Amino acid sequence: MSDVGYIRRHNRPLYFFALFYLAFLYIPVLFLPLFSFNDAIYVAFPIKGFTTAWYEQMLTNEPMHAALVNSLKVGAASSAIATMLGIFGAKAVTKYRIKGEKPVVSVIMLPLVIPGIILGVALLILLSRIGVTLSLYTVTLGHILICVPFSMATLMARFEGFDKSMEEASADLGDNVWWTFWRVTLPLVAPGVIASLLLCFTISFDEFIMAFFLAGTEPTLPIFIYGQLRFPQKLPSVLALGACILVVSFVVVFVSQWLQRRDDPAAQGLGN
Amino acid sequence: MNGNDAYIRIEKVSKHFGDVAAVDNVEFNISGGEFFSLLGASGCGKTTLLRMLAGFETPTMGEIYIDGAAITGVPPHQRPTNMVFQNYAIFPHLDVRRNTAYGLRTEKLDKAESNRRVDEALEMVKLQGFGDRKSTELSGGQRQRVALARALIRRPKVLLLDEPLGALDKKLREEMQLELRALQQSLGITFIFVTHDQEEAMTLSDRVAVMSGGKVLQIAAPKEIYNRPVSVEVADFIGQMNFVDASVTDLADGQALIDTAGLGQIKARATEFAHKGANIVVAVRPEKLTLSKDRPAGEGNAVQGVISTAAYLGDRSHFYVTVAGTDKPIAVAAQESDMSDGQSLGADSAVWLSWSDEAVVLLNRA
Ligand SMILES: Nc1ncnc2c1ncn2[C@@H]1O[C@H](COP(=O)(O)OP(=O)(O)OP(=O)(O)O)[C@@H](O)[C@H]1O
Ligand SMILES: [Mg+2]
């Protein structure tokens, strides 16, 4: 490919940097699947032999399943709600050109830069002051808070490139604002919505700090894994789980990137 | 013209965007079943006026009535109008059929009936068999037809068209013009057609409103606008026109005696501003002037000049004739058959220009 040729010829340092970066990023990660098949309790070289025992153990680990289900629930709920809020927020900001739009957007985007530990502590104090018991609901609340900015950012890009006359045409053909939203706006921004759902789900699924502060007696998966690290004999099955999650994450990220790239709304076949 | 005389009434309508008066105190009526064009240069407020009719803009002042009812408070989806958008606004996520059927949701038809209506609409715009096409796989002309079918399927009382032919090539455009006109006549509904192409407006319309800077300069049938423009601006916008400064020297029984800069003493039908001593402009269309080598017989209007450029365009010829006293050469268009004795008139030939009293239009000096 000529792209690669171009990089090789003119940008050799950048090419090596990219290679180094990828190695730095992925080699540690690759230890996970490697040791998840290693026939030894201790995570250490040399490799002892091949086993699927850890995967079998993982399948029968009831507390782990409970934690996984908790994380899936929280992830599904917070990504759905955050995306819904993101849709309306992005729509309002891009369509109505509201007064003081810039400050409003900045405030919405603020959780992006506030450290999670501060947000977590703040929420914990607030919730305990008003007497809310910690549960998966409070974790979900925290996750919505950190997901909305990501959702907004994803969807605003989509709404910016939106042809206003599409909605006008719909209104002209007899649909009120709600029907127009349902029949035209939503299908046209659908790729952005899906990307936002995937992104928010991933953020929620591996979020640790907020969950650590806000979870009650039911741990999410990251908290459960953190708890398991104290017991060496449990570690290999955590590695097995980690390897599974890794594979799923790769797929999710790939799909969401792919959806984002399909930028031209005219090329979408959704809604048919 | 069928229908009532004032199906649509536009009363003192203005639309301001900040300091810009996009539409400025416009007032006129449109009859039912009329093919009405809004004609004007880019930025003169045509689209804004159309969007106020469709309900996408609210007049800053004034009121619009359709069929006797004020419509300012009526949202677009409840108006008896449908629009063909300048960029067509075809829904990219729906195929041709679904695009066309979009407006049928509110009619709550059964499946068979709605299929029949879609087929009927597609047939009307000659798109039978295109129903399954993706809307992203259409040519410009086909997109235009889909937009038309989609609007017509709702059987609107008024169809609003915003430069619907602007994006098409010349040949397709002329074809579509004929089709649009035929469609309008067979449906008998009101078309309000926005264009900046004066030829298009002239060939299609029952009446044309010439707009400039948010104001309506003249509303009349195409022929009248062509032959009796009310101002230099209108005359200049519609076709080619020779303008000569002049002043009124005398008035007698409806005729004005005029002293022109270059065309000599002429007579013309008096107008309200042509009072004695008034400085005016005399306008003559190029094709209303006759060229000849010798002075025409009789008492008619005639002046002598020299041809500065001559262009033969097949069946017609264009000349520019320099006449002493005028600041620009006078344009003359002649049919081959009109040329006296078949003489060939080249550059630098001395010629006579002649015209009838009716050929001249008196205009206020801007
Ligand atoms: N939404 C808007 N906000 C501000 N100014 C506007 C808006 N819409 C139109 N205008 C201004 O109003 C004037 C008339 O615009 P309009 O679109 O009606 O012109 P037009 O006659 O349709 O021109 P064209 O032939 O280029 O389409 C222009 O000066 C334009 O800049
Ligand atoms: Mg326009």
Side-chain angles (χ1 to χ4, degrees):
Chain A
M1 280 211 299
S2 63
D3 286 358
V4 174
Y6 173 82
I7 287 169
R8 282 212 175 122
R9 252 179 294 125
H10 299 285
N11 241 327
R12 197 174 275 270
L14 191 64
Y15 179 70
F16 281 122
F17 174 75
L19 269 186
F20 175 74
Y21 179 77
L22 287 177
F24 182 72
L25 203 62
Y26 286 109
I27 286 174
V29 170
L30 289 176
F31 279 112
L32 222 70
L34 181 68
F35 283 106
S36 72
F37 289 109
N38 187 24
D39 192 6
I41 284 190
Y42 295 101
V43 177
F45 286 107
I47 302 287
K48 291 272 168 43
F50 181 82
T51 178
T52 54
W54 310 125
Y55 285 87
E56 283 152 28
Q57 205 178 84
M58 175 187 89
L59 289 177
T60 56
N61 188 339
E62 292 299 335
M64 183 188 281
H65 293 175
L68 178 65
V69 170
N70 287 345
S71 270
L72 292 176
K73 278 190 205 158
V74 171
S78 51
S79 62
I81 295 171
T83 300
M84 210 138 72
L85 295 174
I87 291 172
F88 293 122
K91 171 94 186 153
V93 167
T94 51
K95 176 162 182 187
Y96 297 109
R97 295 275 151 231
I98 42 179
K99 257 207 187 113
E101 170 197 325
K102 282 237 167 80
V104 170
V105 174
S106 310
V107 169
I108 294 172
M109 294 300 173
L110 212 53
L112 280 179
V113 291
I114 298 179
I117 191 158
I118 294 186
L119 271 181
V121 170
L123 260 181
L124 179 64
I125 292 170
L126 177 74
L127 291 172
S128 57
R129 291 235 55 99
I130 57 176
V132 177
T133 349
L134 297 182
S135 65
L136 289 182
Y137 290 107
T138 50
V139 181
T140 306
L141 184 71
H143 284 182
I144 291 170
L145 194 68
I146 51 172
C147 284
V148 166
F150 288 98
S151 172
M152 279 276 284
T154 311
L155 285 160
M156 266 167 68
R158 197 80 205 173
F159 276 105
E160 294 282 1
F162 193 89
D163 182 358
K164 223 177 96 188
S165 64
M166 292 296 161
E167 289 173 321
E168 287 181 347
S170 168
D172 190 64
L173 295 168
D175 278 355
N176 61 23
V177 282
W178 298 108
W179 276 107
T180 295
F181 182 78
W182 180 244
R183 296 179 79 196
V184 172
T185 316
L186 206 55
L188 289 183
V189 298
V193 171
I194 294 170
S196 161
L197 283 174
L198 293 178
L199 184 64
C200 293
F201 183 85
T202 352
I203 291 170
S204 163
F205 192 75
D206 68 15
E207 202 284 333
F208 178 77
I209 302 173
M210 299 279 272
F212 186 74
F213 282 106
L214 299 174
T217 48
E218 299 172 277
T220 60
L221 197 60
I223 293 170
F224 174 81
I225 290 173
Y226 178 71
Q228 297 293 291
L229 293 181
R230 278 172 294 161
F231 313 108
Q233 69 276 24
K234 296 261 177 72
L235 191 58
S237 80
V238 169
L239 291 183
L241 178 70
C244 295
I245 291 172
L246 207 59
V247 171
V248 174
S249 311
F250 271 128
V251 172
V252 167
V253 167
F254 178 78
V255 170
S256 83
Q257 287 289 318
W258 179 68
L259 284 170
Q260 288 238 297
R261 293 251 173 81
R262 300 198 327 171
D263 242 340
D264 177 15
Q268 257 81 68
L270 281 137
N272 266 322
Chain B
M1 229 162 286
N2 50 28
N4 44 345
D5 281 356
Y7 186 67
I8 298 172
R9 278 190 292 142
I10 295 169
E11 289 194 350
K12 297 206 167 61
V13 166
S14 296
K15 176 70 190 182
H16 298 263
F17 293 109
D19 294 338
V20 184
V23 171
D24 194 0
N25 201 16
V26 163
E27 186 157 47
F28 58 89
N29 296 340
I30 299 173
S31 317
E34 193 172 13
F35 199 123
F36 191 92
S37 289
L38 297 171
L39 173 65
S42 184
C44 71
K46 309 178 296 281
T47 297
T48 307
L49 190 53
L50 206 66
R51 288 171 59 81
M52 286 193 279
L53 283 160
F56 302 129
E57 308 282 1
T58 317
T60 315
M61 279 173 282
E63 180 62 86
I64 299 172
Y65 300 86
I66 297 183
D67 208 6
I71 57 163
T72 297
V74 182
H77 66 276
Q78 288 167 358
R79 293 193 182 197
T81 57
N82 280 114
M83 184 146 162
V84 174
F85 286 79
Q86 194 160 4
N87 63 356
Y88 308 144
I90 305 292
F91 302 126
H93 60 295
L94 302 177
D95 62 17
V96 169
R97 252 199 117 69
R98 283 160 202 257
N99 260 287
T100 310
Y102 192 91
L104 290 181
R105 181 191 66 82
T106 45
E107 304 203 7
K108 310 218 166 15
L109 305 172
D110 62 39
K111 192 135 189 136
E113 175 63 7
S114 100
N115 276 334
R116 206 189 55 72
R117 287 275 289 275
V118 173
D119 289 335
E120 182 189 271
L122 288 177
E123 199 181 314
M124 226 185 293
V125 299
K126 308 205 164 110
L127 278 182
Q128 307 98 304
F130 280 83
D132 299 329
R133 245 351 145 80
K134 275 193 184 170
S135 49
T136 46
E137 293 168 355
L138 295 175
S139 72
Q142 289 163 343
R143 295 169 72 76
Q144 201 267 332
R145 285 163 196 266
V146 174
L148 203 57
R150 191 177 69 174
L152 287 174
I153 202 167
R154 286 174 58 82
R155 301 184 173 153
K157 304 268 176 43
V158 181
L159 186 69
L160 309 169
L161 303 106
D162 193 356
E163 304 204 22
L165 310 180
L168 307 181
D169 63 59
K170 193 168 177 330
K171 191 163 167 295
L172 192 56
R173 195 149 90 197
E174 282 165 3
E175 212 177 291
M176 282 308 298
Q177 284 174 3
L178 294 176
E179 277 184 36
L180 274 181
R181 181 67 198 181
L183 201 59
Q184 188 264 340
Q185 280 174 343
S186 70
L187 294 171
I189 63 175
T190 310
F191 272 35
I192 303 180
F193 185 91
V194 163
T195 179
H196 62 254
D197 180 340
Q198 47 108 359
E199 240 177 86
E200 192 168 279
M202 299 308 239
T203 35
L204 286 173
S205 323
D206 293 319
R207 284 194 305 154
V208 177
V210 182
M211 293 183 68
S212 172
K215 288 189 164 42
V216 171
L217 303 177
Q218 183 172 11
I219 300 179
K223 226 183 189 134
E224 165 130 5
I225 289 189
Y226 192 78
N227 291 327
R228 297 271 145 212
V230 295
S231 67
V232 172
E233 209 173 349
V234 174
D236 205 20
F237 191 69
I238 312 287
Q240 204 182 5
M241 186 71 110
N242 295 300
F243 298 106
V244 175
D245 288 344
S247 61
V248 181
T249 53
D250 207 359
L251 286 167
D253 41 285
Q255 291 283 97
L257 205 60
I258 298 149
D259 202 6
T260 66
L263 298 182
Q265 286 273 344
I266 64 166
K267 274 192 293 180
R269 199 172 70 179
T271 49
E272 78 263 22
F273 50 82
H275 51 84
K276 201 166 166 176
N279 285 323
I280 57 164
V281 174
V282 164
V284 194
R285 295 278 178 206
E287 68 276 10
K288 300 240 163 113
L289 293 164
T290 313
L291 274 187
S292 55
K293 210 147 203 149
D294 305 310
R295 188 187 172 111
E299 291 264 315
N301 306 301
V303 302
Q304 208 169 8
V306 176
I307 293 179
S308 60
T309 31
Y312 296 94
L313 309 164
D315 58 337
R316 289 171 307 141
S317 307
H318 273 241
F319 301 96
Y320 286 92
V321 179
T322 311
V323 175
T326 59
D327 47 2
K328 269 192 287 184
I330 306 287
V332 183
Q335 298 285 324
E336 194 68 60
S337 52
D338 297 346
M339 300 293 295
S340 48
D341 328 325
Q343 306 157 333
S344 66
L345 297 169
D348 301 328
S349 323
V351 286
W352 283 88
L353 281 177
S354 55
W355 63 93
S356 68
D357 288 350
E358 294 77 52
V360 169
V361 185
L362 305 187
L363 300 171
N364 223 340
R365 196 175 292 184

